[in-house]
Amino acid sequence: MGWNSWNYFAEKVTDKDIRDSADQIVASGMKDAGYIYVNIDDTWEGERDANGVLHTNSKFPDMKALADYVHSKGLKLGIYSSPGPKTCAGFEGSLGHEEQDAQLYASWGIDYLKYDMCSFIPAVMMKQAPSDKAAQMRIMVAAYDKMGKALKATGRPIVYSFCQYGWDNVWEWAPGIGGNLWRTTGDIQARWESVYDLMSEQAGLASYAGPGHWNDPDMLEVGNGKLSLAENRTHFSMWSMLAAPLLAGNDLPNMKPAIKDILTNRDVIALDQDPLGHEARHIYSKGEVEVWARDLKGGAKAIAIVNVGSDVYSTHPFHLDLAQLGLHGSQHAKDLWTGKEMDLTANMPIELPSHDILLVRIAEPK
Ligand code: GLA
């Protein structure tokens, strides 16, 4: 759990934004809720010197001092690079300098690396194996493996995040070469269609997630763009159901109370962080209502009922089918957004506003 600069600041991010965000993570209570990593995304990179040592650009005058500052708050610092010659935003990548860059990150005190494929595709994969897809994939895997080994060789624990948009079923091979999380999709955008697409693409990937290695449907857009409160709630709930990394991506110094309440909902975070690490599965859909379920430690279960349709009539009439969830008769549950105890009864009618969610935890499913 943490925060990343890209979704709000994009290429404008500066040292000051990172410090301010770290301050806010502490002041807002997000740190206490579990948000620990403060991740600088693309555009911090400067030029390499004659020895190949990469320097920061003028937006980040002193990376070591920044790391010290973030660490002094009890937080950790993440950074970003690419296996290609350039990053997605056209800054210096790590190609041919993997060991050197890994050592540099470690010397600064970096705790997390997001490694984004970008220019590696045209500059290396396409060039070395123009018409051999399988060979391109082998080259890609080798590049991620190379940086993984370089990070390991530093002796510093550095979380390794793969960003190659889910190519070649990354979930099958990433854990074997040291990946702690891997993007399963293209980039998220701060609008419902994107959130819904990415959530839908996770169906079928549940068995690949587990402690230490996670499917990453991309960073959170909670509080960004045009997402309504219901959409923000559903986005956060579903990422938690999916045991996804919770990397907030909003403007923390100007966060509205309602957004803070979503990002710091302890019950929903506990769902995300459940020690079993079992991701939710899509159980069934009826009309425009989707029902997902997740098994939790101690035999508990979480159920998410989402109206993915465009109006309230999408859920009308919707009757919850407990049998399809493997449940028998009335279930005592907690609504994780209202905090209220409730009973889920067989075939109970449920009406939800458009893009809203009923998220419940059943401590003792029957
Ligand atoms: C890619 C990644 C994004 C972000 C940008 C930065 O698009 O998928 O998450 O890191 O690059 O340039």
Side-chain angles (χ1 to χ4, degrees):
M1 290 175 68
W3 175 91
N4 171 292
S5 61
W6 186 254
N7 283 353
Y8 180 76
F9 290 102
E11 73 283 353
K12 293 195 184 69
V13 66
T14 64
D15 174 288
K16 181 173 184 307
D17 295 328
I18 299 298
R19 286 172 194 252
D20 290 351
S21 301
D23 292 348
Q24 285 305 314
I25 287 173
V26 176
S28 64
M30 285 174 71
K31 180 187 166 201
D32 289 341
Y35 295 84
I36 295 298
Y37 288 88
V38 181
N39 295 347
I40 309 167
D41 208 277
D42 204 351
T43 79
W44 62 268
E45 310 88 341
E47 306 292 325
R48 291 190 188 277
D49 63 23
N51 297 319
V53 177
L54 183 59
H55 293 266
T56 54
N57 63 41
S58 59
K59 297 191 296 145
F60 289 88
D62 186 340
M63 197 60 91
K64 173 85 174 75
L66 179 56
D68 289 347
Y69 183 80
V70 169
H71 291 153
S72 76
K73 304 263 154 186
L75 301 170
K76 293 178 185 284
L77 188 65
I79 211 161
Y80 168 101
S81 189
S82 170
K86 296 285 173 203
T87 66
C88 286
F91 288 71
E92 195 64 23
S94 291
L95 183 66
H97 297 275
E98 293 82 359
E99 286 83 10
Q100 205 171 17
D101 285 359
Q103 293 294 337
L104 180 68
Y105 306 150
S107 75
W108 285 337
I110 296 293
D111 307 292
Y112 182 116
L113 173 69
K114 171 175 170 184
Y115 208 42
D116 192 354
M117 197 151 69
C118 300
S119 69
F120 190 76
I121 304 167
V124 181
M125 289 157 63
M126 301 294 204
K127 210 170 241 166
Q128 289 185 10
S131 48
D132 185 345
K133 189 106 194 177
Q136 288 172 13
M137 296 305 135
R138 283 196 296 275
I139 294 167
M140 171 181 72
V141 175
Y144 276 85
D145 188 25
K146 184 168 196 181
M147 183 50 102
K149 292 199 166 98
L151 292 174
K152 215 170 211 153
T154 67
R156 184 177 174 84
I158 298 178
V159 171
Y160 191 20
S161 157
F162 290 18
C163 179
Q164 45 76 281
Y165 336 115
W167 283 26
D168 198 34
N169 293 346
V170 60
W171 40 87
E172 290 174 355
W173 51 267
I177 58 168
N180 299 116
L181 60 156
W182 49 85
R183 282 269 298 276
T184 53
T185 66
D187 287 12
I188 194 166
Q189 290 165 14
R191 46 189 190 87
W192 169 256
E193 292 73 20
S194 169
V195 168
Y196 178 60
D197 278 355
L198 299 194
M199 151 190 156
S200 306
E201 286 179 47
Q202 307 315 304
L205 300 185
S207 61
Y208 298 99
H213 53 96
W214 306 102
N215 290 312
D216 173 12
D218 207 358
M219 306 170 294
L220 296 167
E221 290 281 18
V222 173
N224 286 341
K226 288 193 166 36
L227 293 172
S228 68
L229 264 191
E231 290 166 348
N232 279 310
R233 228 182 348 254
T234 299
H235 176 20
F236 193 69
S237 303
M238 287 309 296
W239 264 234
S240 296
M241 285 291 281
L242 293 164
L246 296 181
L247 292 169
N250 56 324
D251 177 11
L252 296 178
N254 295 301
M255 174 162 58
K256 298 208 170 78
I259 296 301
K260 187 180 95 173
D261 290 349
I262 291 175
L263 288 171
T264 57
N265 181 317
R266 298 291 180 115
D267 285 336
V268 181
I269 291 173
L271 187 63
D272 180 74
Q273 299 285 310
D274 184 81
L276 291 185
H278 288 173
E279 220 179 281
R281 292 170 195 266
H282 175 238
I283 306 297
Y284 76 98
S285 288
K286 201 161 153 231
E288 292 181 293
V289 180
E290 297 193 3
V291 181
W292 293 66
R294 174 171 180 183
D295 292 328
L296 303 169
K297 194 176 166 217
K301 212 184 219 342
I303 296 173
I305 301 156
V306 192
N307 173 2
V308 305
S310 56
D311 60 45
V312 68
Y313 294 104
S314 305
T315 58
H316 182 79
F318 174 76
H319 295 276
L320 182 61
D321 186 350
L322 290 175
Q324 290 212 49
L325 289 158
L327 299 170
H328 308 285
S330 173
Q331 308 286 323
H332 193 62
K334 181 177 181 186
D335 178 329
L336 301 187
W337 286 110
T338 65
K340 293 199 176 112
E341 302 287 323
M342 64 180 297
D343 285 319
L344 289 178
T345 53
N347 286 319
M348 73 189 281
I350 294 174
E351 291 205 24
L352 290 167
S354 171
H355 303 168
D356 213 339
I357 188 164
L358 174 63
L359 181 67
V360 300
R361 181 178 188 279
I362 305 173
E364 292 172 20
K366 292 177 284 188

